[in-house]
Amino acid sequence: MDDAIVMIENISRYIEMGESAMQAALKGAAEIGFTIVSLTVSLIAVLIPLLFMADIVGRLFREFAVTLAVTIMFSAFVSLTLTPMMAARILKHHPETEQGKLYRWSEWCFVRPSKGTAGWFRVVLRHQFLTLLVAISTLGLTVYLYILVPKGSFRCRIRAPSLAFRRRPRRYRFPPCPSGSRNWFR
């Protein structure tokens, strides 16, 4: 799904620059296509270790890994084939005079956070050494916590069964079973 969104954004950027919808779809798909393929391959590569995990943990995560891998491949297929074709047919450029209030308001809602992000990028670029120090500290903390936290997910075997007892009042009688259920206990 994210791949298709990136593809649509790239195509709509070309349409806003004045290209025809078909040319924008061709240029946008050619520009982003390799990125989507490499992203798909790397995401599936991350899931491969889950397929080869042993023990009960491996059995728990195997279906999860296969489902995610198939979903990621399907998303890449849709992004590279259907999305550019539909964008070439559906997307159109509307001049600002034809845009309604809802469109202008939603555009403002999308542009405002990107301006805030640009401000944070400027702060990070002004303080590069501090940013590098925070990144190295985070990496060091991650390694420390990896060493500190136990690695096993499940115990290999149960050492002793757990039993629980409850005392009942001395004069307590169990309610009688319904007549049809007595055969179940024989």
Side-chain angles (χ1 to χ4, degrees), residues 29-40:
E31 194 174 273
I32 296 293
F34 181 73
T35 305
I36 290 175
V37 169
S38 63
L39 183 68
T40 301

Side-chain angles (χ1 to χ4, degrees), residues 129-143:
F129 180 74
L130 183 62
T131 304
L132 182 64
L133 192 64
V134 168
I136 291 172
S137 301
T138 304
L139 179 65
L141 181 65
T142 303
V143 170

Side-chain angles (χ1 to χ4, degrees), residues 2-4 6-7 28-46 69 72-81 84:
D2 293 339
D3 301 337
V6 170
M7 182 70 76
E31 194 174 273
I32 296 293
F34 181 73
T35 305
I36 290 175
V37 169
S38 63
L39 183 68
T40 301
V41 169
S42 63
L43 282 174
I44 291 173
V46 167
I72 291 167
M73 286 190 292
F74 185 73
S75 172
F77 174 76
V78 168
S79 308
L80 294 172
T81 57

Side-chain angles (χ1 to χ4, degrees), residues 10-183:
N10 200 35
I11 293 170
S12 64
R13 179 175 59 95
Y14 279 113
I15 289 175
E16 288 175 359
M17 290 169 54
E19 301 269 344
S20 69
M22 183 62 77
Q23 284 298 329
L26 290 172
K27 277 187 177 178
E31 194 174 273
I32 296 293
F34 181 73
T35 305
I36 290 175
V37 169
S38 63
L39 183 68
T40 301
V41 169
S42 63
L43 282 174
I44 291 173
V46 167
L47 296 173
I48 287 174
L50 291 177
L51 289 173
F52 296 114
M53 289 179 79
D55 242 359
I56 191 165
V57 177
R59 281 188 257 149
L60 287 173
F61 286 120
R62 188 166 294 129
E63 288 84 9
F64 172 73
V66 169
T67 303
L68 237 61
V70 169
T71 305
I72 291 167
M73 286 190 292
F74 185 73
S75 172
F77 174 76
V78 168
S79 308
L80 294 172
T81 57
L82 297 177
T83 303
M85 185 271 306
M86 289 174 57
R89 300 280 181 201
I90 296 172
L91 291 180
K92 307 269 185 277
H93 177 67
H94 299 287
E96 200 166 317
T97 57
E98 295 178 15
Q99 297 169 355
K101 289 182 180 180
L102 177 64
Y103 180 84
R104 287 194 303 269
W105 177 77
S106 65
E107 186 68 22
W108 177 80
C109 288
F110 287 122
V111 170
R112 187 171 177 207
S114 66
K115 287 182 180 177
T117 304
W120 279 108
F121 282 145
R122 282 191 292 275
V123 168
V124 166
L125 289 174
R126 264 189 261 130
H127 301 93
Q128 291 180 8
F129 180 74
L130 183 62
T131 304
L132 182 64
L133 192 64
V134 168
I136 291 172
S137 301
T138 304
L139 179 65
L141 181 65
T142 303
V143 170
Y144 172 73
L145 289 175
Y146 178 76
I147 293 168
L148 186 71
V149 173
K151 309 299 183 290
S153 298
F154 297 102
R155 283 189 283 174
C156 292
R157 61 187 100 113
I158 297 174
R159 301 195 180 185
S162 300
L163 298 175
F165 296 99
R166 183 163 182 237
R167 302 192 107 203
R168 62 175 175 79
R170 203 172 238 289
R171 294 185 181 156
Y172 181 80
R173 298 185 134 225
F174 288 104
C177 293
S179 61
S181 64
R182 287 187 186 163
N183 295 333

